[in-house]
Amino acid sequence: MVPHERSLVKELKNRPFALVGVDCYDSVEKSKAFTKEHQLNWRSFMDEKGEIAANWGVRAFPTMLLIDHEGKVRYKNFHMGQSGVDPRIEDLIKEAEAAAKN
C-alpha cells in the first residue's frame, strides 16, 4: 500500500487529510532505512516499546485507523486495502470540509 499512500498524500495535499505512520521497528535505524527505501512522504512516529500500538488497540500489522476531524476513530481495519479505505477517506474529508464551512 505504500505507493498508494504516497499518492494519497500528494492528491489530498490541500484538503483536510493527514497520513501519520507509527513505526514499530526495534530500532530507529530500521525505521529510517524503510522510510528512505520506500520514499515515505508523511510523518511517522517511532514506537519501539509498543506503547502507541497498545494505546490504540493495535494487535496486528498493518492496521489502519481512520480518524475524523473531531479526533474520533471511525474505522479500524487490519487489511482493508485501498478499495475499501479510499471511499471512507473521501467521506471523512467531505464531512470535515462541510464542518469547516459551518
Side-chain angles (χ1 to χ4, degrees), residues 7-27:
S7 69
L8 278 176
V9 171
K10 287 180 184 176
E11 290 171 25
L12 302 173
K13 180 179 177 181
N14 295 316
R15 296 184 74 194
F17 171 81
L19 179 64
V20 178
V22 177
D23 296 335
C24 295
Y25 292 102
D26 57 3
S27 75

Side-chain angles (χ1 to χ4, degrees), residues 2-50:
V2 170
H4 182 66
E5 291 166 336
R6 257 195 327 264
S7 69
L8 278 176
V9 171
K10 287 180 184 176
E11 290 171 25
L12 302 173
K13 180 179 177 181
N14 295 316
R15 296 184 74 194
F17 171 81
L19 179 64
V20 178
V22 177
D23 296 335
C24 295
Y25 292 102
D26 57 3
S27 75
V28 172
E29 292 78 22
K30 286 182 183 177
S31 177
K32 287 181 179 180
F34 184 86
T35 297
K36 184 177 180 179
E37 177 184 348
H38 295 283
Q39 302 172 348
L40 303 187
N41 58 349
W42 58 86
R43 181 177 294 247
S44 290
F45 297 90
M46 192 66 197
D47 190 23
E48 288 179 278
K49 296 179 183 178

Side-chain angles (χ1 to χ4, degrees), residues 51-60 63 65 76 78:
E51 294 170 347
I52 297 171
N55 288 336
W56 287 88
V58 174
R59 302 192 192 314
T63 294
L65 302 173
K76 180 177 180 179
F78 301 117

Side-chain angles (χ1 to χ4, degrees), residues 62-78:
T63 294
M64 183 172 292
L65 302 173
L66 297 184
I67 303 169
D68 69 13
H69 63 284
E70 295 178 342
K72 297 176 188 169
V73 175
R74 297 281 294 275
Y75 302 102
K76 180 177 180 179
N77 197 304
F78 301 117

